[in-house]
Amino acid sequence: MSLAIISALETDEGEELEVRMELDSHADSPVLGIHAHIISHTGNHVTVSGFVDSLGHKKRVPIVDAVIAYDCDVTGQTSLMYICNALYIPEMRYHLLPPFIMRLAGLLVDECPKFLAKRASIRNHSVFFPNNNIRIPLFLRGIVSYFPCRRPTSEELNDDSMLVLDLTPRASEWNPHDMKYSELEASMMDYKGAIREQEEVSGHQLMSIKMDDGDPILRGVSRYLDVGSFASDLQMIASVGMYDWNQSATQNINGHPGMHKTCDVKSSRKRGSVDPNELARLWKIGSDAAKRTLDTCTQLLVRSSQDPTLNKRFSTSDRQLRYNRISANVFMDTFFTSQPDRRGSKGGTRSLRGFGCAQVFVTDFNHTHVVPLNKKGDAPFSVKHYFKNVGVPPAIVCDYALEEMAGEAKKLCDECDCDLRVLEKGTQWANRAERFVKIFKDAVIRDLKESNCPMILWCYCVQRRSDINNATAADNLALEGTNPHTRMTGQTCDISNLCQFGWYDWVYFRDEKASFPYPKEVLGRCLGPSKSFGNAMPQWVLVRSGKVVCVTTLRCLNKAEIDSEIEKSKREDFDKEIKSKLGDSLSPAEVMTNMTPPEEPVDDPNIPEADEVRDINDFDELLGAEVLLPQDGEHMRSATVVKRVLDENGRVKGTYSSNPMLDTRVYEVMFPDGELKKYSANVIAENMFAQTDSDGHQYNILDEIIAHRSTGEALKKEDGWHIDRKGRRSRRLTTRGWYFNVQWKDGTQQWISLKDLKESNPVEIAEYVQKCDLIGEPAFAWWVPYTLKKRDRIIASVCARTKKKTHKYGIRVPNTVAEAYALDRENGNTLWRDAIREEMKNTEVAFKFLVDGEKPPPGYECAPLHLIFDVKMDFTRKARLVFGGHRTVDPEGSTYAGVVSRESVRIAFTYAALMGLDIMAADIQNAYLSAPCSQKYYTVCGPEFGSELQGHVAIIVRALYGGKSSGKDFRDHLRDCMLHLGYESCLADPDVWMRKSHKDDGTEYWEYMLLYTDDCLCVSHLPSAALGDLGKYFTLKPGSIGPPKIYLGGKVSEMVLPNGEKAWAFSASQYVQEAVKNLERQLEERGMKLTVKASAPIASGYRPELDVSPELDPDDASHYQSLIGILRWIVELGRIDICCEVSMLSSHLALPREGHLQQVYHIFAYLKQKHNARLVF
């Protein structure tokens, strides 16, 4: 490596250096300094040394792909220069580039200075790019040639129109010590030292094989009789079948001695045979995009046959792509059970399912997977089971056993691109799985002994133990503070199916097949979760008959059942029968020990399933259900489903579906006043889902407390104190004996105990108790006074914060014109001033200005105007001149503008995709100003009108924002126009307008126009013509007419589905990225930044309701509320992956704490890393 690197590292930091790219013929690779923009890291490193040891060396220098910028002094054009496989040394102030590698890239490099040239020309001392016809002059610094450059800006990197020049070849790797260059150079001369006659060799074509055309007659008989064709085929086959023959030397892999690879031959072309240029040609994408694609993708399955005759059939094996890939190496080992009379025998005591051994898989961070087997020869089955259920690791380490190291197991690993590494004989201690075999054996023996469970159920127990191990967050540095499951999958481990029942716990499960007089609740023993049946929650349960069933509906025994003598006798009889059939923890039953073990596990078809598919006529899940439904079309009332509606033939009206949203059966429901109404099942189900939480629990909202009562259990006032031995008094903490009659929002009334009501509505109870003068009662005296004090503090804090809405999307919003100008001066821009100027220019048409001193006509009322300021979704500033409607009388009737629902928009996108229609959007410019004002008002011009008009009287002749009737005026005006154009309003959504139309082939269809105040969305085969009709009456913004790109803050784009059909996609990526950037700017001012480790929306294990960090001050609280608003809208745009976390943090808007704000920052960090998401219609 060049001495220039060492000198660059030792340059005095105080010296001002021009950023330059020096041409260094002594360097064998490009070297980049601090002033280069790194595109990607290749993951490779090298050690850089000087000419002699005294110069020192630098270890582990990364190899990167990077970009620099070059400014042409003549043309003023800026170009980006791409450099591949460069050494990155950030201590250097300039860069080094070998002319040799530039010439490989096809560049013409002339290093001869012009003053040394015999006939100086522009070609001397320059670099010429033939493909771009660009020449860059070189300069001298001493005797070193260079050209100036700099680090590109972010705007230049994001500008697609920038010219990109390649200084080096776009190769995936660079080996400067490759002998092919010296061989090619030597091949240029013959033995006499003369130049051989060769075809012109370019940098992209280092070798060309010249062959004659051959004999066409021989080629017609057979390709292999023709010399040229035969040589061509041999060359092609050789390029496909090149092999690297590696010695089978013993290696020390991952710290495990005696480990070696079983395969000595590998194809050098088997993996990733496609290059960026070929991929760009096949996919018709840019070369840069192809390079990035290959950096982020694998090509595990390669068609290796290049036989032009297609005589060889392609393999149908695709196991490289069929299974998930994991990044950790895996150890595997087999353990066996033993016969009671022949301990140590590998015949084994077979389990209830016929298993005699099990295969254990373990990773370095202790993630385990257990596969019970019939015999050791089934090891290939266990490997395949692991690949399907967990994933394919880079390598599997096993003992020196034929079943594991050869045969089908090795073949499966080879097909899935998984190395099979075998330990030497006598080194079993190096197998990590050996340790977990002992751990699992000890744990299973302990579970069987403590529960006296039949030992033939060991296969269920060991699988449960493996699941528990994967969910346990042990004190292991390799786990990085999480558990093996999360470490392996990257997903939070859910223990719902593991944490409710212990091993061999008594349970009752529901048997729907049981008929009278047999009970539906059946006693059983829980054996752990079942993963192969039903959903994620079923459990294996041992029943009295000795069989194991998979059930979903089960529960633990309650205290009364545990203590009941009758229940105890049932459990004793159960255990006796199980012991007679299956044995106990010490020995299996005699019938089991003498049975012939089956070669393969057989599924018993007679095993009863607790949750069978039921006949819909046996019973109806909706009957008796209580749900809130609209009774009079406006108010929601609690109603009870009483019966199904039958038609005249006695059949159920409607059609049953297992999906509640598609069930059209009709039911009668009864409201509290006795009125009966009919609703379909899907309407009832929709309301039920909307009124319950994720667990299906319904929450009632308290309307008022009507009355109260107390029973004899309530303590009297004289008994409300407790006196200890030292005479100290303390209040008794009691709520017994008090009940309240409450009325819910749905109109129902109910008596609730103080114990339950105090937890859900403490403030309401405290106020009622204070009103009724019950504070002195022992049930209230210990907590009501403190609740009232806390209530006052919460309300005061909420009021103080809700009044201070100073920011939107994190941007400070002014309240007055003077404050807006002050913010511009503070920020060093004119964004607010420009917004004011633009708004006043647009609203000028709404006024009729009177001469100075002229009074308004009779009958006109004065209404002040003022500017309100806002920040739009794309963070542009907006000033809006609004009407002082709050000081005017309320008009009669509706006063709102039309707003189409999001559901209607999504339906429209789907309709367009199904019908093959186009979609175009447009925005009505100054919508309200296009409608005449229906009210008589005037105003006195303020400073926003300018110094010339300030103080003048102006008559308001157009609708202005803020006027109570402005929305209605514009809607009426737009409605008249739509009716004039032949549209009719949709009954389902009045802001969806439609009219009949037909395509060019005569097909009739409905043309739609969706109106969201002033935004228009047209669905038609000729949407431009439809919008042109509307543009005759309203001014459409020129830049807004076209296919929709942004809708409600989200990006809209047309895409093609895999089946070739066109569809519309909706993405929030642009909005998310802008929101994150804006937050990062704010955090930078505070000396903060977002975390780089955010694999989940919130930190693992964080509970917002348990946060006890300090409360935020009013400014930070307003900041927190603004960020929550942004996140809520991101959820509305389709990011449902953060819906739960945002909902939890939104419940703390009243009293946010520092911990809550940090978790909001965590969500933004997560969105920064994963901003791509879209919905397809």
Side-chain angles (χ1 to χ4, degrees), residues 911-947:
Y911 174 80
L914 293 175
M915 297 295 295
L917 303 177
D918 292 332
I919 298 179
M920 290 186 68
D923 189 6
I924 299 177
Q925 187 171 357
N926 299 324
Y928 279 15
L929 296 177
S930 62
C933 181
S934 60
Q935 305 294 322
K936 295 182 178 181
Y937 293 104
Y938 73 94
T939 188
V940 178
C941 299
E944 61 272 12
F945 286 88
S947 57

Side-chain angles (χ1 to χ4, degrees), residues 14-83:
E15 180 183 355
E16 290 292 336
L17 294 177
E18 177 187 18
V19 181
R20 59 188 180 275
M21 175 65 74
E22 293 187 354
L23 274 61
D24 188 352
S25 60
H26 293 284
D28 57 17
S29 298
V31 183
L32 299 177
I34 188 62
H35 297 293
H37 178 79
I38 307 303
I39 298 296
S40 63
H41 289 260
T42 64
N44 299 323
H45 297 78
V46 296
T47 300
V48 179
S49 304
F51 290 116
V52 293
D53 295 338
S54 60
L55 295 176
H57 59 274
K58 184 175 180 61
K59 296 183 178 180
R60 290 188 62 79
V61 175
I63 299 178
V64 301
D65 297 339
V67 172
I68 60 174
Y70 171 76
D71 300 319
C72 181
D73 295 335
V74 178
T75 64
Q77 182 182 10
T78 298
S79 305
L80 298 181
M81 295 185 172
Y82 200 92
I83 305 170

Side-chain angles (χ1 to χ4, degrees), residues 480 568 810 859 1094:
E480 300 177 353
K568 287 181 180 179

Side-chain angles (χ1 to χ4, degrees), residues 132 265 294 478 562 626 657 671 698 727 747 1177:
N132 307 96
V265 182
L294 292 179
I562 294 175
E626 294 185 2
S657 174
F671 290 93
Q698 184 174 359
F1177 304 97

Side-chain angles (χ1 to χ4, degrees), residues 75-97:
T75 64
Q77 182 182 10
T78 298
S79 305
L80 298 181
M81 295 185 172
Y82 200 92
I83 305 170
C84 292
N85 300 299
L87 281 62
Y88 179 56
I89 305 179
E91 293 86 354
M92 292 182 57
R93 300 297 183 90
Y94 52 90
H95 319 297
L96 304 177
L97 187 62

Side-chain angles (χ1 to χ4, degrees), residues 900-902 904-910 912 918-924 974 978 983 991-994 1007-1020 1023 1026-1027 1030 1036 1040 1042-1048 1052 1064 1066 1177:
V900 68
S901 66
R902 288 191 300 272
S904 297
V905 175
R906 291 166 182 161
I907 293 174
F909 277 110
T910 307
D918 292 332
I919 298 179
M920 290 186 68
D923 189 6
I924 299 177
L974 183 59
M978 297 302 294
Y983 288 88
D991 295 297
V992 175
W993 293 82
M994 55 188 183
E1007 182 180 84
Y1008 287 92
M1009 186 78 71
L1010 285 71
L1011 303 177
Y1012 190 99
T1013 308
D1014 57 351
D1015 294 330
C1016 307
L1017 198 67
C1018 182
V1019 180
S1020 173
L1027 291 176
L1030 186 64
L1036 303 181
S1040 67
K1045 297 180 180 179
I1046 300 295
Y1047 178 75
L1048 299 181
V1052 180
W1064 290 88
F1066 189 83
F1177 304 97

Side-chain angles (χ1 to χ4, degrees), residues 628-646:
L628 292 178
L629 292 171
Q631 182 178 8
D632 51 4
E634 179 180 359
H635 298 92
M636 302 293 286
R637 296 284 186 267
S638 177
T640 303
V641 181
V642 293
K643 66 178 182 179
R644 286 180 293 190
V645 177
L646 306 179

